[in-house]
Amino acid sequence: MQLIPRHDPHLAVRTAGALTVAVLRGELDLVLVRHLRPEIDALVREADALAVDVRALGFCDATGLGLLAHCARSTRGRGAHFQLVCDQPWILRLVRLTGLDDLLRPEPVLRPLPSPALPVPPPSSGPRARAEHPV
């Protein structure tokens, strides 16, 4: 993964192919959300696939959950892949209690992007196909 250079101790962004990973650190509250919102909005608009990793958070309030919900809704709304990476029981409990688990779908580890489905070739109509399926 390539690290995108930045000087913000609360957000590290790295890319691997089409996947952009935003790692949040610190306390995701009103102050940090206001600070990070412009950059997060740019990631939501531009990333082919976005994973938000909150495993390094020490705190998350309703404003922080709102930011995560915005990321998921907006990213998926434009047809891109979204993943929330979270293994902290207290954040998972907040997600569940607020009814955001279906929207956020937290995963304990970063998962690779799903592979696009390969088209199934049509059955062959050559001599071998006729031999296997006599009329």
Side-chain angles (χ1 to χ4, degrees):
M1 272 193 173
Q2 176 186 0
L3 185 66
I4 297 173
R6 11 181 327 95
H7 301 289
D8 192 324
H10 303 288
L11 175 64
V13 179
R14 55 186 194 256
T15 61
L19 179 63
T20 300
V21 181
V23 179
L24 301 178
R25 294 185 189 91
E27 298 184 351
L28 193 56
D29 57 9
L30 178 63
V31 174
L32 187 57
V33 167
R34 284 184 177 170
H35 173 73
L36 295 178
R37 185 70 186 242
E39 189 148 4
I40 295 292
D41 282 345
L43 293 173
V44 165
R45 278 191 313 271
E46 297 170 12
D48 294 327
L50 178 62
V52 178
D53 186 341
V54 298
R55 292 176 292 184
L57 287 181
F59 177 80
C60 182
D61 68 6
T63 311
L65 285 177
L67 177 68
L68 297 175
H70 161 74
C71 290
R73 191 175 294 114
S74 299
T75 304
R76 289 189 186 119
R78 63 181 188 78
H81 176 79
F82 176 82
Q83 180 181 163
L84 175 65
V85 183
C86 178
D87 63 356
Q88 297 197 30
W90 61 274
I91 294 179
L92 295 171
R93 184 169 189 254
L94 283 175
V95 168
R96 189 177 62 253
L97 289 173
T98 55
L100 292 171
D101 40 355
D102 284 340
L103 174 64
L104 295 177
R105 301 179 212 150
E107 297 278 343
V109 295
L110 183 63
R111 304 254 185 238
L113 286 176
S115 300
L118 297 174
V120 177
S124 174
S125 59
R128 183 174 176 203
R130 284 188 207 112
E132 292 175 0
H133 303 287
V135 180

